Amino acid sequence: MAKQFLDDDFMLQNDAARTLYHEYAADMPIFDYHCHLPPVQVAENKQFRNLTEIWLYGDHYKWRAMRANGVDERYCTGDAPDWDKFAAWAETVPKTIGNPLYHWTHMEMKDPFGISGKLLNPRTAKSIYEDINTKLASGDEFRARGIMEHFNVKAVCTTDDPADSLEHHASVAGDSSFTAKMYPAFRPDKSMAVDTGEAWIEYLARLGEAASMSIDSFGDLLSALDRRHEFFHSMGGRLSDHALTLPVYAPASDAELEAIFKKAKSGGEVSPGEADKFRTALMLHFGRMNAKRGWVMQLHMNCLRNNNTRLFRKLGPDTGLDGMADGQIAVPLRNFLDALDMEEMLPKTILYTLNPRDNELLASIGGSFQDGSTPGKIQLGTAWWFNDQKEGMLSQMSALANIGLLSRFVGMITDSRSFLSYPRHDYFRRILCNMVGTWVEEGEAPRDMDLLGGMIADISYNNARNYFGMEID
């Protein structure tokens, strides 16, 4: 019997997969431990004025597809009216078949908006737009918090600079009527940008103000970052997050680091080699702080950012201009992890790569630093960004299963700015269940649904809840 698009057994190709999904995965809560949701929108329980605002604003995945479909920038990031932007997206959607955007679009229409059996295209665009706009205006169910509660989100970890006030996190934490937790994640990338001239000097002033101290030396910078790390800890934060085109490991003496600091602070030009030494020292400092406070360190690697200079100058960062890098990461990553491990200060760590060729590499290096102190202490991070699709997820999970322990995997993230991205967790769970179910049907795993179902439930939610050690439920 032919399968129907997006039916209840979507992506589940055998009986074992269907059992694992429907009985063990479908109803698990969500712990979205890495996302880019604006904390202010959670704190204010934002009501979105229309589908364009909640679906297209800030969504560089969609913008890239629209540009590829010949849509003018005015309808992506520009000043076109919201309906015109949505109409341009509706023109693009039929062209995205084969791209996960086609699946995500219709999954998000179905849940939470209840639109099934109707495909988005230019003929249906107006009715879908008006239907969802009516729902968005109808009450709390479709405001920011209502959507999170609908998807049974237990916790989200946003992405926050050390200088951020975290006032919105405090507001949410003080509201007992909201069932989800919102925690900050410490993202100190700007503190390492010692080679960006005036921008770095201005950032030091902002960080110093947040830390209630003057930053006049490299030692002061370490102290200010530690103060803010401690503040994040007091706000429930238990993760740091680091965007690294490539990991670096270039040790330097205290005197060298102070000299680099003073040169940069006075407006001098910092060489690439000096910048690598500075970043190495700070990354080691972040690792030690994380170990001291029992945090998790996330390393996002091999992303080449802002590739299109012309559009970057016009649009700025995070607008869909990034891609995979192919730098050599094995030796500097090993040296960095080893340096912390030699001090017995290597924290729980998640290794993400934007280049899927690195999956086995990271799984094998990470496995060298498992030490029995924590199940899955060093994680091969979930398929990230451009790998957040069926083949990418299968590649990442297969590498982990072959080289490490899939059963200890902490699972999926949205890595998204959209409150409508939670169906991606369902997408991931269906792919996971189908992969394991196929092992069963092919005789590669036992038909023990309690054993395998327990593993599926753990990967869907339980492992992350236990690994991060946050107050959730």
Side-chain angles (χ1 to χ4, degrees):
M1 182 177 177
K3 291 179 64 66
Q4 298 298 310
F5 177 64
L6 218 65
D7 64 8
D8 288 345
D9 293 332
F10 176 58
M11 305 190 87
L12 306 172
Q13 298 173 353
N14 53 67
D15 288 340
R18 289 186 280 272
T19 298
L20 291 170
Y21 172 77
H22 291 296
E23 296 187 14
Y24 296 95
D27 295 329
M28 292 300 293
I30 289 174
F31 183 178
D32 197 23
Y33 56 87
H34 175 71
C35 74
H36 298 276
L37 291 180
V40 61
Q41 293 184 359
V42 181
E44 296 178 353
N45 195 18
K46 180 174 178 61
Q47 184 168 28
F48 298 90
R49 63 178 180 268
N50 58 45
L51 181 52
T52 301
E53 183 181 23
I54 193 172
W55 224 14
L56 293 174
Y57 281 29
D59 193 334
H60 51 77
Y61 289 83
K62 293 185 177 72
W63 296 339
R64 285 172 67 102
M66 292 166 74
R67 292 174 190 139
N69 197 43
V71 173
D72 186 83
E73 192 63 37
R74 180 168 179 256
Y75 300 94
C76 300
T77 63
D79 62 356
D82 282 353
W83 159 249
D84 292 349
K85 289 183 176 182
F86 182 78
W89 171 237
E91 289 271 3
T92 300
V93 168
K95 306 299 183 184
T96 65
I97 289 179
N99 187 303
L101 282 168
Y102 194 79
H103 290 158
W104 295 347
T105 293
H106 293 97
M107 291 177 75
E108 291 168 19
M109 285 165 46
K110 184 177 181 180
D111 193 11
F113 297 116
I115 297 175
S116 59
K118 181 185 287 188
L119 301 179
L120 179 58
N121 57 50
R123 296 185 305 278
T124 62
K126 194 69 173 181
S127 64
I128 289 172
Y129 192 70
E130 292 175 351
D131 184 356
I132 293 179
N133 285 351
T134 298
K135 290 182 170 71
L136 290 172
S138 64
D140 290 346
E141 180 182 359
F142 296 102
R143 295 167 75 106
R145 295 188 185 186
I147 293 170
M148 294 172 72
E149 291 177 329
H150 169 82
F151 285 108
N152 198 15
V153 176
K154 293 294 186 182
V156 296
C157 297
T158 57
T159 305
D160 309 279
D161 189 273
D164 289 348
S165 69
L166 305 188
E167 61 186 292
H168 303 302
H169 295 81
S171 174
V172 171
D175 186 349
S176 60
S177 67
F178 183 42
T179 59
K181 306 286 188 181
M182 181 173 73
Y183 292 118
F186 189 82
R187 180 76 171 253
D189 296 348
K190 291 179 182 178
S191 69
M192 297 195 294
V194 68
D195 50 355
T196 57
E198 190 63 31
W200 182 75
I201 296 171
E202 292 174 359
Y203 176 74
L204 285 189
R206 180 171 168 240
L207 178 63
E209 182 178 358
S212 300
M213 62 179 289
S214 177
I215 302 178
D216 299 315
S217 68
F218 184 73
D220 288 343
L221 176 58
L222 299 186
S223 296
L225 288 166
D226 189 65
R227 284 189 186 185
R228 297 306 294 168
H229 195 273
E230 184 175 30
F231 174 65
F232 273 56
H233 188 86
S234 73
M235 296 295 294
R238 297 295 184 271
L239 298 92
S240 72
D241 188 17
H242 310 273
L244 310 172
T245 300
L246 297 175
V248 295
Y249 188 72
S253 67
D254 291 346
E256 287 179 286
L257 295 168
E258 288 293 351
I260 295 168
F261 178 94
K262 291 185 184 304
K263 179 194 285 190
K265 184 75 181 294
S266 63
E269 184 175 348
V270 174
S271 72
E274 290 172 325
D276 282 349
K277 290 179 178 180
F278 198 86
R279 293 187 178 104
T280 297
L282 284 182
M283 285 302 302
L284 291 170
H285 183 61
F286 300 141
R288 294 177 187 122
M289 289 193 300
N290 288 337
K292 178 175 68 173
R293 296 190 174 98
W295 283 30
V296 175
M297 177 170 62
Q298 299 180 96
L299 306 181
H300 296 266
M301 295 172 281
N302 249 336
C303 175
L304 197 60
R305 298 180 185 273
N306 306 319
N307 296 312
N308 186 322
T309 302
R310 178 181 61 83
L311 282 182
F312 173 66
R313 289 173 176 169
K314 179 180 178 181
L315 305 176
D318 303 320
T319 52
L321 309 178
D322 307 324
M324 297 178 188
D326 62 354
Q328 300 299 305
I329 66 177
V331 172
L333 176 64
R334 185 279 311 272
N335 291 343
F336 170 69
L337 297 176
D338 193 48
L340 290 172
D341 189 70
M342 286 289 289
E343 299 177 23
E344 298 187 3
M345 294 296 282
L346 178 62
K348 292 180 284 188
T349 301
I350 305 177
L351 307 173
Y352 302 88
T353 178
L354 200 57
N355 193 322
R357 62 145 208 208
D358 297 331
N359 283 331
E360 284 80 6
L361 183 155
L362 293 183
S364 64
I365 290 177
S368 302
F369 293 95
Q370 307 286 16
D371 59 13
S373 62
T374 300
K377 176 180 176 179
I378 310 298
Q379 290 276 323
L380 175 61
T382 191
W384 169 47
W385 202 339
F386 296 113
N387 303 311
D388 186 8
Q389 28 79 9
K390 182 179 177 180
E391 282 72 23
M393 292 181 194
L394 290 172
S395 176
Q396 181 269 342
M397 289 190 286
S398 295
L400 177 55
N402 284 325
I403 295 176
L405 296 180
L406 179 64
S407 59
R408 291 299 187 180
F409 179 33
V410 294
M412 179 63 177
I413 54 175
T414 63
D415 188 35
S416 173
R417 292 165 175 79
S418 173
F419 289 88
L420 296 182
S421 292
Y422 294 114
R424 295 183 195 177
H425 281 262
D426 185 62
Y427 196 62
F428 164 82
R429 292 172 185 180
R430 289 173 181 272
I431 292 168
L432 168 65
C433 290
N434 194 69
M435 182 181 77
V436 176
T438 300
W439 293 346
V440 173
E441 300 298 341
E442 294 181 353
E444 296 180 15
R447 194 175 295 274
D448 185 335
M449 292 298 109
D450 287 338
L451 171 66
L452 299 178
M455 181 177 77
I456 295 295
D458 286 345
I459 295 170
S460 297
Y461 174 72
N462 297 330
N463 285 346
R465 177 197 60 198
N466 296 335
Y467 182 76
F468 293 104
M470 294 177 170
E471 181 183 340
I472 296 177
D473 54 13

